[in-house]
Amino acid sequence: MMRTSRLAAALLGPLAAFATSAAMAQDETKPDADLPATNTFGRWTTIIDTLDTGQDAHKTCAASTAFLDGAGNAGSLTLSISTGDALPPDAYPTIMFIVDNKTLPTGDKIAATFGDPGVKIAATVSSNAAAGGRPSWMVDNQAKTSLALLRAMRKVTSLDVVFGKQAVASIPMDGFTKAYRNLGTSCGFSTKDVAP
């Protein structure tokens, strides 16, 4: 249960990962092998957590970046996949936004666009129960759409996000490619279709 709590805290935003990394960096003893492994790539932090049941081990691999929306509300963009899930190219990491903005559209199948002036990816998002008291939205995980969105994240300098007709944020992508490659290496899938 402690492992689940740590991973849930980490998925709520990269600030938890930064706090964990800072605490681990200040501790001069050997790192605790039971703690999730974290790495930072530009503005992205990866969190790799292994759950070993004794019969098998599953890894959950997540990459997250923090941002502020146009009104100054804190948010995070997180990719998450597990070795127990279907892996690329059959399925891609789940893409979730958590934004402390209660004015964004909620419900199922909200039209969304992602990209920049030169790249536009259309998708749908669905809002979920508040994660840690903050509203969250998940991109409907269709392999073709997720692949296009991940490729756009690699191409753009900043990812412009719009839910419905409401601009959410422009999220810097510095470090995304290396973070995505780290997920592939850690969870055992090829990244050449997104980040060669």
Side-chain angles (χ1 to χ4, degrees):
M1 182 155 184
M2 186 171 158
R3 178 178 302 282
T4 303
S5 298
R6 280 197 313 260
L7 187 58
L11 291 176
L12 289 179
L15 297 180
F18 292 131
T20 302
S21 297
M24 288 172 52
Q26 291 174 0
D27 186 357
E28 294 184 20
T29 61
K30 290 183 182 178
D32 185 346
D34 199 35
L35 289 176
T38 62
N39 287 296
T40 301
F41 304 96
R43 299 172 75 100
W44 285 80
T45 297
T46 60
I47 302 136
I48 312 303
D49 196 14
T50 303
L51 176 61
D52 190 346
T53 63
Q55 293 181 358
D56 61 0
H58 289 285
K59 284 186 182 177
T60 299
C61 303
S64 192
T65 188
F67 63 87
L68 295 175
D69 71 7
N73 298 306
S76 64
L77 165 55
T78 301
L79 312 176
S80 179
I81 196 163
S82 173
T83 55
D85 297 337
L87 298 173
D90 298 317
Y92 291 88
T94 299
I95 303 168
M96 183 171 72
F97 296 84
I98 299 173
V99 188
D100 198 13
N101 183 339
K102 294 179 177 39
T103 67
L104 293 172
T106 58
D108 290 332
K109 305 285 185 196
I110 302 162
T113 56
F114 305 94
D116 69 6
V119 176
K120 294 281 184 218
I121 305 299
T124 57
V125 296
S126 297
S127 60
N128 299 307
R134 299 167 68 198
S136 64
W137 293 261
M138 193 170 304
V139 176
D140 292 338
N141 200 354
Q142 302 296 321
K144 184 177 177 181
T145 304
S146 294
L147 176 59
L149 178 51
L150 291 165
R151 285 178 173 167
M153 291 168 70
R154 179 175 176 263
K155 284 176 95 172
V156 302
T157 303
S158 290
L159 184 72
D160 297 333
V161 179
V162 177
F163 293 167
K165 295 184 187 239
Q166 189 171 349
V168 177
S170 185
I171 306 169
M173 290 291 113
D174 176 44
F176 169 78
T177 300
K178 288 182 180 178
Y180 189 78
R181 287 179 185 147
N182 183 255
L183 293 188
T185 300
S186 300
C187 265
F189 62 88
S190 172
T191 62
K192 66 183 177 185
D193 54 356
V194 172

